[in-house]
Amino acid sequence: MKTRTAAATAITLAALLTITGCSMGTNTEWGSGPMPASPHATSVANMSDVMFTTMMIPHHEQAVEMADMILAKEGIDDRVTALAEQIKAAQGPEIQIMRDWLEAWNADTAAGMGGMNHGDGMMTGTDMENLDTATGTEASRLFLEQMIQHHEGAIEMAQVEVDSGQNRDVVDLAQLIVDAQAAEISTMRNILSAL
């Protein structure tokens, strides 16, 4: 775990040094719900904000892909399909919000996109193939095991943003990810123990 955290931190710091600065804009306050009232918040963003957003988009995209895989299967535990639907419903809109932020900031994101690796909780191509071909209880178990790892990586990335981000909207989203995904990990561990 320490090695994975150190590797993720090193990659994040290296990528932060290569990202260009962001443009200024107006601050948009969040609404009363957990999501921003406007997806076009353009307040000042620092390098941590840009790196987190850039790296979390493909991370979320893979989680949605994993959820789609499990939802397309027959014979999956109802608790697992409910969780997959919950993950997809939360992370799909967050992807669009983060894309809008990057566009509003005129951020150069090319450097950050190559920074994702298995140490960030991302699944390998083989992992994804294994999930795609698994069936029944095996698929339910594999999805939970992989998504726990995936969520742990997201929480590590989000905590870095909470600690070093500047844009209030981005920091708030990162904290939301930490809280929501920690709760989902607990749920997934409970389901795994009962399968």
Side-chain angles (χ1 to χ4, degrees), residues 22 53 62 72 106 112-113 120 129 141 162 172 179 189:
C22 305
T53 304
Q62 188 177 67
N106 296 316
M113 298 307 284
D120 297 311
E129 288 172 16
R141 183 177 300 281
V162 169
D172 287 349
D179 296 342
R189 286 183 173 146

Side-chain angles (χ1 to χ4, degrees), residues 78-89:
D78 290 342
R79 296 165 297 176
V80 175
T81 57
L83 182 67
E85 288 168 353
Q86 176 181 315
I87 289 168
K88 186 175 177 179

Side-chain angles (χ1 to χ4, degrees), residues 10 25 105:
W105 299 331

Side-chain angles (χ1 to χ4, degrees), residues 18 32 56 75 78 119 149 158:
T18 63
S32 59
M56 194 55 75
D78 290 342
Q149 178 182 327

Side-chain angles (χ1 to χ4, degrees), residues 19-143:
I19 290 184
T20 62
C22 305
S23 64
M24 302 275 290
T26 58
N27 188 25
T28 302
E29 295 297 328
W30 280 33
S32 59
M35 298 299 290
S38 166
H40 302 289
T42 57
S43 59
V44 177
N46 68 10
M47 290 184 195
S48 179
D49 299 323
V50 176
M51 175 53 58
F52 167 77
T53 304
T54 302
M55 294 180 72
M56 194 55 75
I57 289 171
H59 203 276
H60 270 24
E61 287 172 338
Q62 188 177 67
V64 170
E65 182 181 357
M66 292 165 69
D68 283 338
M69 281 184 187
I70 207 73
L71 291 170
K73 296 179 184 295
E74 299 286 335
I76 301 301
D77 187 284
D78 290 342
R79 296 165 297 176
V80 175
T81 57
L83 182 67
E85 288 168 353
Q86 176 181 315
I87 289 168
K88 186 175 177 179
Q91 296 193 24
E94 289 173 359
I95 290 168
Q96 188 56 55
I97 286 168
M98 290 186 285
R99 284 181 179 150
D100 289 343
W101 285 341
L102 291 174
E103 183 178 350
W105 299 331
N106 296 316
D108 176 7
T109 61
M113 298 307 284
M116 299 300 292
N117 64 30
H118 200 64
D120 297 311
M122 293 289 283
M123 297 298 105
T124 65
T126 301
D127 293 331
M128 296 297 281
E129 288 172 16
N130 290 341
L131 180 60
D132 192 36
T133 58
T135 59
T137 302
E138 178 192 354
S140 295
R141 183 177 300 281
L142 189 57
F143 173 80

